[in-house]
Amino acid sequence: MKFFLDTADLQQIEDVKRLGMLDGVTTNPTHVSKTGANPSELYPKICKMVDGPVSLETVGLDADTIVDEGRTLAKIADNVVVKVPIMKEGLVAVKRLTAEGIRTNVTVTFSASQALLAAKAGASYISPFVGRLDNVSTEGMELARQIRQIYDNYGFETELLVAAARHPIHVVESALIGADVITLSYDILMMLYDHPLTDAGIETFLKDWEKVPK
Ligand code: E4P
């Protein structure tokens, strides 16, 4: 399962790259607004740092505008994936961008029927927002499971990219159902390393090592 970092923060991207865990990046308008940077300067920097797909999101609401935005974004670098919110006009745009050889990530997805439409439109990735479903008392990972089954039933090549993950269990469950990708905040990725028994075990080994004659 690939790990994408869900951020537009260059320092976070650099850190995770150093750790050897960076398979790609997903940005969104919220992440970009938090950096305070101009996207036309920020996006090329991110794309250059990442050896893998970088999702850059469109904000247009009609297919022509989304296609224009997508073409412009795709020109930034070869690793750009155009992130398009799921809606009728968005899927019209996805079909057209796909026909032009531009990769797409269909985002803000909350139902299996939406995911089916995205695959039929030729999306490269589908992003179900599992944590946001959990927030409204609906099991988000059940949606991811349904999408996995539907895509496998029909051999769709659209990759399942679990998004809006909130904790390490989302990561483990995603791996168990065979998600292709999970996108993670920096904080959740760091949590994956932690275990109190590991800390205690290392501490004991180091203390015992001090007693060894050297
Ligand atoms: C996905 O690509 C989105 O950027 C992201 O996962 C949204 O998650 P949030 O609910 O943490 O904002």
Side-chain angles (χ1 to χ4, degrees), residues 6 26-28 31 57 83 105 107 127 129 132 161 163-166 183:
D6 200 18
T26 53
T27 68
N28 64 34
H31 293 323
E57 191 158 339
K83 201 174 181 192
N105 173 359
T107 189
S127 290
F129 280 21
R132 292 196 194 182
L161 191 172
R166 295 284 181 262
T183 191

Side-chain angles (χ1 to χ4, degrees), residues 73-87:
L73 291 170
K75 279 187 196 135
I76 294 173
D78 288 345
N79 55 346
V80 168
V81 173
V82 177
K83 201 174 181 192
V84 181
I86 189 148
M87 51 186 173

Side-chain angles (χ1 to χ4, degrees), residues 131-147:
R132 292 196 194 182
L133 281 170
D134 290 352
N135 289 348
V136 293
S137 306
T138 302
E139 210 214 316
M141 283 310 300
E142 179 54 24
L143 170 60
R145 274 188 283 276
Q146 288 177 355
I147 296 172

